[in-house]
Amino acid sequence: DSGVTQTPKHLITATGQRVTLRCSPRSGDLSVYWYQQSLDQGLQFLIQYYNGEERAKGNILERFSAQQFPDLHSELNLSSLELGDSALYFCASSVETGTGGEQYFGPGTRLTVT
Amino acid sequence: GQQLNQSPQSMFIQEGEDVSMNCTSSSIFNTWLWYKQEPGEGPVLLIALYKAGELTSNGRLTAQFGITRKDSFLNISASIPSDVGIYFCAGPSVTDTGNQFYFGTGTSLTVIP
């Protein structure tokens, strides 16, 4: 158990809908990272927050947004969902301020868009 | 964008054999991380490397940070069935659009009892 929690574990929704994925980092970790893992794309870095502020941005679509709250939990919002958004979404956390730190991953949320 | 290429893509080995896999990059990395992922689970950190030439072990696993800083290697000795999974290298890189974090293409390991 990495200490990172994600909810829900599974999510099934229809195209055009909006969903929110939630992540709680390990105790003491200030950085949260979001990743998308699909069969044909591997693990893709989406975005990083550190202590409530956006720190780094990867290949995140404009339809996706994230935020980190004062209690350090983070939410990833996916809107106008398309079939291609079906994937595993992972959250990771680290104590480091930059992106070079060791990241610990949650169990993931499996999103299925029908 | 940056790509971390791992080889081999997949391996099928007998229990007890040693395993070697590598990861190469087109640019320099200052940190290399190795993760293992099992089906339906999140990646689990195995080893972190922070210095060129560094050799670090974690039980039967040994990883090395290449001297050129563009590659890294992972060895598993005396493989056992629970070593099955996908092994990923990963690392941060500073680009002209800011910090990015990259994962390799993965090496799938199957251990035959």
Side-chain angles (χ1 to χ4, degrees), chain A residues 30-79:
Chain A
L30 299 178
S31 270
V32 169
Y33 309 75
W34 285 98
Y35 292 85
Q36 180 190 58
Q37 186 176 37
S38 52
L39 281 174
D40 58 346
Q41 292 288 324
L43 270 157
Q44 299 289 319
F45 168 65
L46 296 178
I47 198 164
Q48 178 206 1
Y49 277 81
Y50 173 75
N51 204 20
E53 293 190 4
E54 183 182 306
R55 183 57 62 96
K57 212 165 189 176
N59 300 318
I60 188 166
L61 299 173
E62 285 191 10
R63 300 183 286 109
F64 296 0
S65 65
Q67 53 184 326
Q68 186 179 27
F69 296 86
D71 67 353
L72 300 177
H73 91 271
S74 177
E75 293 181 355
L76 179 67
N77 301 297
L78 315 176
S79 62

Side-chain angles (χ1 to χ4, degrees), chain A residues 35 37 45 57-58 99 102-103, chain B residues 35 37 42-43 50 92 100-101:
Chain A
Y35 292 85
Q37 186 176 37
F45 168 65
K57 212 165 189 176
T99 52
E102 300 165 15
Q103 296 179 23
Chain B
Y35 287 87
Q37 186 177 26
Y50 294 102
Q100 298 285 325
F101 199 83

Side-chain angles (χ1 to χ4, degrees), chain A residues 81-101:
Chain A
L81 285 167
E82 302 174 0
L83 294 177
D85 296 327
S86 296
L88 271 166
Y89 290 85
F90 288 105
C91 163
S93 75
S94 76
V95 70
E96 296 284 337
T97 59
T99 52

Side-chain angles (χ1 to χ4, degrees), chain B residues 28-100:
Chain B
I28 289 172
F29 276 68
N30 293 318
T31 300
W32 285 99
L33 306 172
W34 283 92
Y35 287 87
K36 176 190 176 188
Q37 186 177 26
E38 297 182 29
E41 309 269 334
V44 174
L45 181 64
L46 300 174
I47 293 179
L49 302 161
Y50 294 102
K51 190 177 175 182
E54 179 182 353
L55 190 71
T56 297
S57 293
N58 178 7
R60 293 177 297 104
L61 277 62
T62 301
Q64 185 164 21
F65 193 138
I67 293 293
T68 66
R69 293 162 64 195
K70 291 185 177 181
D71 56 10
S72 180
F73 308 88
L74 177 69
N75 296 311
I76 305 173
S77 63
S79 59
I80 59 178
S82 63
D83 290 333
V84 166
I86 302 178
Y87 290 78
F88 292 99
C89 59
S93 182
V94 178
T95 71
D96 54 5
T97 58
N99 291 333
Q100 298 285 325

